[in-house]
Amino acid sequence: MTDEIIEIEFGKDRFHQQNEMIQWCKHNLGEGGWGGYNKTGIKQWAVESMFGNTFFYFRNPNDAFMFKLMWG
C-alpha cells in the first residue's frame, strides 16, 4: 500500500447511484464514509459530493481497482 490517495470522480449523471456506491464500499471495503478527506486522515475510503459531482478517495490501490471495475 502506498501513501498516495487515489481519487475517482463521477459527474452529475451518476449522482443517482451515489448511495448504492457508498453501500458497496461499506460492504466490500470496510470502514470509511463521508467527509473528513485529507491526504493523511481517511480510513480505507472516503466520499465527498459537491454540486452533484461525487468524489471517492481510496488508500489502497486494490480497493480503488475493485471499485472501478464495479462502477467505472
Side-chain angles (χ1 to χ4, degrees):
M1 192 158 47
T2 69
D3 288 338
E4 182 179 336
I5 301 297
I6 299 149
E7 178 185 289
I8 298 174
E9 178 182 353
F10 295 99
K12 295 173 183 143
D13 61 321
R14 302 287 297 274
F15 183 78
H16 68 283
Q17 294 179 302
Q18 185 181 77
N19 287 333
E20 192 176 352
M21 291 176 181
I22 292 168
Q23 290 306 313
W24 185 92
C25 286
K26 287 179 181 178
H27 183 263
N28 292 285
L29 306 179
E31 195 171 350
W34 280 100
Y37 168 70
N38 63 53
K39 296 245 184 234
T40 60
I42 74 168
K43 297 171 182 162
Q44 286 297 103
W45 60 275
V47 61
E48 291 186 334
S49 185
M50 186 181 330
F51 304 113
N53 297 306
T54 305
F55 303 86
F56 283 86
Y57 304 99
F58 300 92
R59 283 202 167 285
N60 185 327
N62 292 329
D63 291 349
F65 178 74
M66 294 303 294
F67 181 84
K68 191 76 169 168
L69 280 178
M70 180 66 188
W71 299 104

